[in-house]
């Protein structure tokens, strides 16, 4: 089992910044892709940003140029630096990690979610 613990959410004014962190722990063999998703009330969960173990990154169009994803492989931790925040960024943000075990079996894990609220 792998556990993901998120931190860093909160309330911020429009134009402000927040940094989310997500640390993976437990029986870890290898974590490949890690990412951040978000879900606003009444909307589907959507990908915000993702990063592979080789640090290839991908971003949703709505956050390009404002958000930066990074990771520390030694700490099994992924970060999301969010700048120039907008009210439409308000959502619960979830961390995701793709774990690969010693047999090559891939299992996705999710964090519990952290609330980000951007006031106008």
């Amino acid at each position: 089992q792998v556990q993901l613990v998120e931190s860093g959410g909160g309330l911020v004014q429009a134009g402000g910044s927040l940094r989310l962190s997500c640390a993976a722990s437990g029986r870890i063999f290898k974590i490949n892709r890690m990412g951040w998703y978000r879900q606003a009330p009444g909307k589907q969960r959507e990908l915000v940003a993702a990063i592979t173990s080789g640090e290839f990154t991908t971003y949703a169009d709505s956050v390009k140029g404002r958000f930066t994803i990074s990771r520390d492989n030694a700490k099994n931790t992924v970060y999301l630096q969010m700048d120039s925040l907008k009210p439409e960024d308000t959502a619960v943000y979830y961390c995701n990690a793709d774990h690969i075990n010693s047999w090559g079996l891939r299992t996705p894990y999710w964090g519990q979610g952290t609330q980000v609220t951007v006031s106008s």
Side-chain angles (χ1 to χ4, degrees):
Q1 274 293 78
V2 174
Q3 295 81 40
L4 301 178
V5 178
E6 300 140 336
S7 60
L11 173 64
V12 64
Q13 288 188 331
S17 298
L18 284 174
R19 188 187 192 216
L20 305 183
S21 299
C22 172
S25 62
R27 299 183 66 179
I28 296 173
F29 183 74
K30 178 182 179 181
I31 294 177
N32 186 17
R33 180 178 177 270
M34 300 186 79
W36 290 94
Y37 290 71
R38 67 186 181 188
Q39 188 167 19
K43 294 187 177 181
Q44 290 188 330
R45 189 174 297 189
E46 62 176 357
L47 174 68
V48 176
I51 184 168
T52 67
S53 56
E55 301 195 5
F56 177 81
T57 59
T58 185
Y59 294 92
D61 287 343
S62 60
V63 307
K64 283 181 181 177
R66 301 188 297 120
F67 291 9
T68 303
I69 190 169
S70 60
R71 66 188 285 172
D72 184 331
N73 289 327
K75 296 181 179 180
N76 291 312
T77 299
V78 63
Y79 307 96
L80 185 67
Q81 177 66 42
M82 304 185 293
D83 299 317
S84 301
L85 282 161
K86 304 176 181 180
E88 51 263 43
D89 295 317
T90 296
V92 178
Y93 284 69
Y94 296 92
C95 174
N96 168 265
D98 280 347
H99 179 259
I100 311 294
N101 69 12
S102 57
W103 296 285
L105 178 66
R106 171 184 170 272
T107 303
Y109 289 94
W110 292 90
Q112 79 284 358
T114 185
Q115 177 70 46
V116 171
T117 303
V118 184
S119 63
S120 56

